[in-house]
Structures are given as C-alpha cells and as structure tokens.
Amino acid sequence: MNRRFSKRMLVIATAFAATAVLMGTTACSSSAPEQSSSSGGSGDTVKIGLVTKTDSNPFFVKMRESAQESAKENGAELIALAGAFDGDNEGQVAAIENLVSQGVDGIMITPNSSSGILAAIKKARDQGILVVALDTATDPEDAVDATFATDNLAAGVAQGKWVKAALGDKAPKLLMLDGTPGGTVDTFRHDGFLQGMGLSEDSPEVLGMENTNGDQTKAQTAMENLLQRVPDANSLYTINEPAAAGGYAAIKAAGKQDQIVIGSIDGSCTGVENVKNGVIGATVMQFPTKMADEGVKAIVAFAKDGTKPKAGFNDTGSVLITDKPMSGLDSEDTAWGAENCWG
Amino acid sequence: MSTPTMATQSQNPPPPASLVRRATSSIVRAPLFGASVALIVAIIAFGIISPRFLAPGNISLILQQSVVIGILAVAQTLIILTAGIDLSIGAIAVLGTVVMAQTAGAVGPVSAILLTLIVCVALGSLNGGLSTLLHLPPFIVTLGTFTAIVAATHLYAGSQTFQVSDPLLTFLGTTFRIGDFVTTYGVVAMLLVYLVVGYALTQTAWGRHVYAVGGNPAAAKLSGVRSDWVTFSVYFFSGVIALIAAWAALGRIPNADPNAYQNANLETITAVVIGGTSLFGGRGGVLGTLIGTLIVGVLRNGLTLAGVDNLYQNIATGVLVIAAVAVDQIMRRRTAR
C-alpha cells in the first residue's frame, strides 16, 4: 500500500514539476519588462505591439530588433509576436486579439494575407488603437491607419531594368524563381520585374517559373530541374536572396556562372556580400529598419496627443545595389550596401 | 490490469482503504488529473501575474481562439482512441473552407455546406477505407492523403484566397452575449461537438467498441466487435467533424486561404496528448482533449499577456507535451501491474 501511494505521489510530483517549470519561465520573463504594474488602461509608458509574419525570417528579425531599439529611444515598450508560418492568418489574428487584451496603444503588423485579418484589425481600431501595416499593405489600404513599406512593384521594376541592361543586345531567355503562390509582395515583385524587362506574363522569352517559398533549398532543386529543361537560359529572376543563392548553387554545379545574369531583391548583409562576390549580379535593398522606426514613431506620437500618421502608403524606399552599374539606372555599390544592409 | 479487456480506468479494483483514501486515489488515477491540475494552476498563476487575464473578455478570447483546433481535436481523439492517427485532418478542413467559399456563389450557402460535407466525409472515408480494407497503417495513409489534399486544395483554389461575406457561412463567428460575457456561436458549436461525442463514447455500445478496438484489438475481435467497421466509422465521423471545423474557421476568419492551418494536424495531436489520451489507443477521452486544448490556449494567451516571447511559448508547449506523455507512461506502468 505504501509503495503504491509513493508511486502516486511521483505522478503528482511530475505534474506539478512540469507546471512549475512553465510557471518559472513565465515568472522570470514577466518580471523583466515590469509592465503588469501599469494595468489600468493607458499607463505612463506607451505600449506597442508588433506582429510579424514569422519569427525566423532574418528580415523580420531585423525589423523586430529595430522596433525594439526605436521603442527604447522613444520611451515605449515593445511586445513582439508572430505567426507560426507564412500564411498563418489564425496565428496573427490571435496575436492581435491578445495585444488588444493587453491594452497596447498601437499595433504594427506585417500581414500574412492582405485581407485575412481585417476583422481583427477593425476590432482593434474600434477600441482606439492605432494600427499600421509594415512591409505589406492591406487590401483595401485604408483598413489600417497607415502603411510603411517598400514599393515592391518599383523594386521589381528596378531589378528587371538592371537585368535587361546587363543582357545588352542578347534576347532574354528568362527563368523565374518565384515566392509563395498568391502572395501579395511576391506578385508585385514578379509583375514589376517583367515590366522592367519589358516583358509580360506570357512572353515567349519567359521559359520557366517555379515556386520556391523564398527558400534556398527549394530554390536550388527548382533551378536544377529548370536547367535540365532550359539549358541555354541567360537570365534569372529571384524573389529574394536565399532563392538567388539556391539558384546560383544549381547554376554553378552546371558550370553556367558566366551564362546567366541573376537579379534579386531584399538587401540583407548576406545578399550584399553575394553581390560583391559575383553570386548575384544586382539586388534591390529594402529598409525594414526604417519601416519599424517610422511605425514606432507614429504610434508614440498618437499615444501622446492623438496625432495620426499620413494615411495610405508611405514608401520607405528601395535602392539598387550592384558593382556593375548600368547607364541610366541609379545604383549604389556593395560598399554602400554593406553599410546599410540588414541581417 | 493485465486482463485483455477494455482498459478503461473504471475497472481498477477499489483499494482496501478508508473512504477518503479511496476517493483521492480514484481522482489521482483518472488520466484527467494531471491535465486538470495543470489547467487550474495555469489559470491561477496567470490570474495573479496579469489582472487582465481573468477579465470576461479575455476568457472569451481564449475560447474563441480554441474553436477550430478544439473541434478538429475531437476527430483526432476518436482516431487516436482506435490506436490510429490522422495527419490529414487539418488539410481536410482547409480544403473544406475553400470548397465552401468557392461554391457558395454558384449554388448558395446551404448547398455549399452540404457539398463540403460530402467532400469532407469522402476524404475521411478514404482514410478509413485504406486503413481498414488494405490494412495500411493510418500514419502512412494519412501522410499520403495529407500531401495530396494540400496540393489539391492549391490546385482547386488556384492558390487564391477567397473572401466570404455570406451570413450563413460566417454564422459561427457571430457574437452573442450572456450577461457580461460575449462569445461566438463557434464556441457553442465546439462545446456541442464535445458533448455529443463525449456522450457517444461513454454511453453507447459504439463508444465501448471504439475503446475496445484501440485497447486490445484481438480481444475485441474475440468478443464479437466488428473492428473494421468501428475503425471505419471513426474516420467517417472525423470527416463530419472536419466540416464543422471548416465552417467555424470561416466564422473566425472570413477568408478561405489554402495556406492556412499548416500546423493544425500537429496542434490537434498536441491537445489530445496533453489531455491524457494515450497514443497507443484505448485510453482517454474527449473531456481530456477539451482540457488539453484549453491548456494550450491559456498558455498562449497568458504568456502573451505576461510579455513572453513567442519562441518561449513554443518551448513551454513542447515541455508540456513531453510531461503529459511522461505522466501517461507512469500511470500505464502502474495500472499494468
């Protein structure tokens, strides 16, 4: 009987130990920001929520770090949340709801889907919370108070123009490593690139497209297969720099480095380094730091005296980075790129 | 409990001790014990840490956030009770949302729901049929159907997101109030699914057969249970439940997105396991799963309110899953003697 009882105690102890571990995590993390004291609505410090698409993408990691820094400078407190994967609308809606529950003054969000989370955003705004979109606009745009983002169509155009100029007199034989099917940003860049090249979706010069989800491994596999079909391709569009790196690995393995011009977008430090080393011909840099900083400033201003930011799309700009400048195209070299890159 | 009968907790011999000890022992033995303690401790702890946590609005939020996974987890519980597993249940529901949203314009909302029911039940039956007729392991069958269904959803949707505005299709997202407490019909639907399936499992012959098939298939067969039919029926009903989850998903986010709910399968398994249902079948039940779902919801919400990083939340959930299985194993060893 005693032995059985002690076994039973072991079970209970395990259950309690497990919960204790969890509570431990909670306790030490929650004591750090000291926010639970300012519970009665708007305390003295401004509370800002940030909801990114995922936790793991370096672009969003940088955006989050910048937001953290900017919040600190402006005397605000930042709570960063994210979806679990690209396309996790449910996760982003839950994040918004939890931030509202927590009594934030404003929310910055990089929407996974331009329309999937509008109801949650509306509920937040109805409670007097300022909502700004970063990186990706909502549809309709006025579903949020303001948008701070790269003009991805313009960035795509710049990328396309450079690739076309780099090809010179050669007729394009184009391959495209796309991002996620149906993604807003992905579509803008894709369309912009074709526009910059002077092509359209069904031009005969476009010889192959594959979705890569912006993933280096998937991009490499896709490029290996595309090269089997189109061995004489001479230009490559990539949705981002990891896709470009994957594409280049396949091209190098096939010994076609000198045959194919690669254009990309993003502006990460790895990407700029790749441009410098000749892996990527040119990349278009975007500025997540600026997006986060302007978002934080807008919310702090709103919390102080109710000033709203300029409604609609606020372009945070993009810059073509290459060591092979083409006449008629504004660009910066990789030294400038290395100073201004992220991640 | 080494006798080859249905291994439900109610059949443990009563210990020859005082009434108090007997009462405590039967509570501790229940597989729900660990999960209930964890839920109660978590609620109390978060209530102390953040005064907002216990506000009615916040409790309602946790329930609303639990609806879709909570409903799907009922189907997962049924399947795991038969010692199976369903990796495709989330994908079936996502396809359901797309079918519902895309057909509603042409045939009207009622027909769209019926059509979706047919699709969901057909896919559930496909899983059940392959598992029982060909005797393939459910893990393999549903791994295969999962991959195919995700691709089929993208093809059917043309990788587009469909917005839904029909009041019937978004019905489960509509709010109503009981006193100060505002909640959605989706929450009611989830609780109803738990009630109905809980009743069927504990009060009907079919329910006892589900436990028997999972607990000891050989013994079940010898006592005249038609195992294949019972197993098949569980996959069939999981299709019905997937429809309800799809409907609830459109209520929560009026957007049918083929990329949504990628982790739903794993999240349902998490809820089931935390709720004390054994992955080896025959032990557990939907009440545990409801508690498991709520634990995950409470943890996510509470840790967010406490300002804890998303990634730490994932660590906490992972630890909880392992702790839950450890508790199950210890109890198993104890009752096996």
Side-chain angles (χ1 to χ4, degrees), chain A residues 4 39 64 82 90 101 116, chain B residues 29 52 58 255 261 309-310:
Chain A
R4 297 192 59 162
S39 52
R64 186 171 149 170
E90 169 74 29
S101 205
Chain B
R29 265 153 199 264
R52 288 172 207 275
N58 193 53
N255 237 5
Y261 295 103
D309 195 284
N310 252 24

Side-chain angles (χ1 to χ4, degrees), chain B residues 6 8 81 201-202 207-216 282-285:
Chain B
M6 299 159 228
T8 50
L81 280 176
L201 272 180
T202 54
R208 281 190 289 281
H209 291 170
V210 169
Y211 280 98
V213 166
N216 193 328
R283 258 173 80 105

Side-chain angles (χ1 to χ4, degrees), chain A residues 4 7-8 11 18-19 22-23 26 30 35 39 55 64 82 85 89-90 94 97-98 101-102 115-116 181, chain B residues 28-29 45 49 52 58 61 65 159 252-253 255 257 259 261-262 301 303-306 309-310 316 320 323 330:
Chain A
R4 297 192 59 162
K7 281 267 185 182
R8 214 169 292 144
V11 174
T19 34
L22 295 177
M23 292 313 118
T26 321
S30 67
Q35 89 240 351
S39 52
D55 278 321
R64 186 171 149 170
F85 50 85
N89 298 327
E90 169 74 29
E97 289 171 346
N98 292 344
S101 205
Q102 213 170 334
S115 55
Chain B
V28 173
R29 265 153 199 264
I49 291 167
R52 288 172 207 275
N58 193 53
L61 266 189
Q65 290 169 359
S159 293
R252 184 142 166 77
I253 301 174
N255 237 5
D257 182 347
N259 289 314
Y261 295 103
Q262 281 177 19
N301 176 276
L303 290 176
T304 306
L305 287 198
D309 195 284
N310 252 24
L320 201 64
I330 292 167

Side-chain angles (χ1 to χ4, degrees), chain A residues 85-107:
Chain A
F85 50 85
D86 269 333
D88 185 12
N89 298 327
E90 169 74 29
Q92 289 201 319
V93 167
I96 295 173
E97 289 171 346
N98 292 344
L99 287 169
V100 172
S101 205
Q102 213 170 334
V104 294
D105 299 282
I107 295 175

